Amino acid sequence: MNFTNELKNRVLKGYRPGEEEALRLAEEDPEILAQAAVEIREHFCGSRFHLCAIVSAKSGECGENCKFCAQSCRCNGRAEQYGMLPPDKMAENALTGAKAGIERFAFVTSGRTLTDAEVDRLCDTCRRIREQSGIGLCSSNGLLNRKQLERLHKAGISRYHCNLETSRSFFPKICTSHTYDEKIQTLKNAAQAGMQLCSGGIIGMGETMRDRIEMALTLRDLGVASVPVNVLNPIPGTPLEKQPRLPYTQIQQTISVFRFLLPSAEIRFAGRRILLPDKGRQAICSGLNAVISGDMLTTRGIGAKDDADMAKSLGFAV
């Protein structure tokens, strides 16, 4: 029996692979690796496929210096700029998503954090949605403190998102305006406030496979339930605009390795999926069980109906 299937059988029995085993996996036959990842997904997650959507609830003029982001005021690729959307507008977006079959809806805001007044507006939005729909609500609002997170949870936010982006060792090459520890503390604060955690990152920024594995192991230690996998879409005007695009085979390989390390998580394809020739179909067949439908923050996405149809054609229950 080859190494991939040997390790798969151990994972199915509850074994947690380490960094060196994961690195060795990345060198194995990609087709065998993908099939093993699917078997792990089926064992731990079944056939359910998860659709979520996001709204850019506050856009642009971010003072952070993340090199991949067009919303940073420190780059030349300026995104659309506007303050926090009115509660009625945010609620309308969420309720439209619910009617389209979206399972969870997230409010994403630019900037390091939110003011207490902005948190109040978001809480008001959540209460309005709760009166009309049972859609799951998520939020991604930067480095909020424990009290702010508790208020959001009480208003109806059940899952909080804060991407680690990459490994601790590679992170300073991507961002220096806030720290890795601040991100981890935010996630811990959200967990203590009673929320599930959503955190992942971006691959294709110049990091190594070891960096990706290091991030996945950190996510495992934090008990993250949902892991968005973004693939860098080099946006003109950002510091990473000339970064070569990651080959599809490496995207599939990374997803499969993540499934070995995070067997029961919702591993969710996010940014750049629309640019793939098959819109992510082969990536789903590499161990995924979730996607973000609709538009991303500053780039286009794929509609919920198309995503649901694709998942159903692959044997999933949406």
Side-chain angles (χ1 to χ4, degrees):
M1 185 180 294
N2 59 50
F3 176 74
T4 298
N5 283 318
E6 286 179 2
L7 190 59
K8 174 200 69 179
N9 291 336
R10 297 176 69 189
V11 170
L12 294 176
K13 295 177 181 178
Y15 179 71
R16 289 157 59 98
E19 183 175 297
E20 296 305 320
E21 290 168 310
L23 282 168
R24 182 175 171 185
L25 267 183
E27 300 297 325
E28 296 289 299
D29 182 287
E31 292 187 9
I32 295 175
L33 178 62
Q35 179 56 44
V38 168
E39 291 180 43
I40 292 171
R41 187 266 302 161
E42 289 174 341
H43 178 84
F44 287 97
C45 306
S47 62
R48 188 174 177 187
F49 198 82
H50 305 268
L51 300 180
C52 75
I54 64 176
V55 61
S56 184
K58 178 184 177 184
S59 178
E61 283 302 301
C62 178
E64 305 304 293
N65 66 355
C66 305
K67 290 184 177 180
F68 54 82
C69 187
Q71 299 204 61
S72 173
C73 65
R74 308 190 193 192
C75 76
N76 296 321
R78 297 292 183 90
E80 185 179 2
Q81 299 173 31
Y82 52 83
M84 181 79 84
L85 294 175
D88 285 346
K89 180 63 175 176
M90 288 190 279
E92 178 186 344
N93 276 274
L95 295 170
T96 299
K99 291 177 182 177
I102 294 295
E103 177 184 356
R104 303 190 71 89
F105 191 84
F107 306 98
V108 185
T109 54
S110 63
R112 181 182 182 87
T113 188
L114 295 182
T115 65
D116 284 339
E118 289 171 328
V119 172
D120 287 340
R121 178 174 288 195
L122 195 49
C123 288
D124 184 19
T125 301
C126 294
R127 286 188 286 266
R128 296 183 188 205
I129 295 168
R130 290 269 70 82
E131 293 173 356
Q132 302 179 62
S133 173
I135 191 172
L137 297 179
C138 311
S139 206
S140 179
N141 314 121
L143 308 176
L144 297 187
N145 61 44
R146 171 78 176 271
K147 289 184 178 180
Q148 291 173 316
L149 290 162
E150 288 174 346
R151 287 163 59 197
L152 288 177
H153 182 50
K154 186 176 180 180
I157 299 290
S158 59
R159 182 180 286 176
Y160 194 73
H161 168 267
C162 182
N163 268 351
L164 293 183
E165 309 301 2
T166 187
S167 68
R168 177 184 291 275
S169 52
F170 192 71
F171 185 77
K173 297 179 181 178
I174 299 300
C175 177
T176 58
S177 54
H178 56 269
T179 69
Y180 211 69
D181 284 328
E182 286 177 301
K183 285 180 170 289
I184 287 177
Q185 187 59 55
T186 300
L187 289 166
K188 289 181 177 179
N189 288 343
Q192 291 166 4
M195 299 184 193
Q196 290 185 333
L197 302 182
C198 178
S199 183
I202 305 172
I203 62 175
M205 297 189 293
E207 79 289 341
T208 65
M209 179 59 76
R210 187 180 291 273
D211 288 312
R212 297 172 202 162
I213 290 168
E214 182 185 325
M215 179 185 72
L217 292 173
T218 303
L219 297 172
R220 185 173 75 182
D221 290 342
L222 288 167
V224 171
S226 171
V227 180
V229 178
N230 295 273
V231 183
L232 180 70
N233 182 6
I235 298 173
T238 63
L240 294 181
E241 65 177 338
K242 295 183 179 179
Q243 182 70 27
R245 289 187 175 178
L246 199 64
Y248 199 173
T249 52
Q250 284 196 40
I251 298 171
Q252 294 174 256
Q253 178 191 57
T254 301
I255 289 167
S256 294
V257 172
F258 277 22
R259 178 55 69 191
F260 272 76
L261 299 175
L262 301 156
S264 59
E266 293 175 22
I267 303 181
R268 187 180 306 278
F269 207 154
R272 217 196 97 184
R273 182 166 60 94
I274 192 173
L275 299 180
L276 298 176
D278 65 352
K279 303 300 184 282
R281 190 181 185 91
Q282 285 304 310
I284 293 172
C285 296
S286 301
L288 290 175
N289 63 335
V291 296
I292 297 180
S293 292
D295 291 342
M296 303 296 112
L297 293 178
T298 60
T299 57
R300 291 176 53 242
I302 300 170
K305 184 181 185 304
D306 289 340
D307 280 339
D309 289 345
M310 177 169 63
K312 290 173 183 176
S313 75
L314 293 172
F316 285 94
V318 181

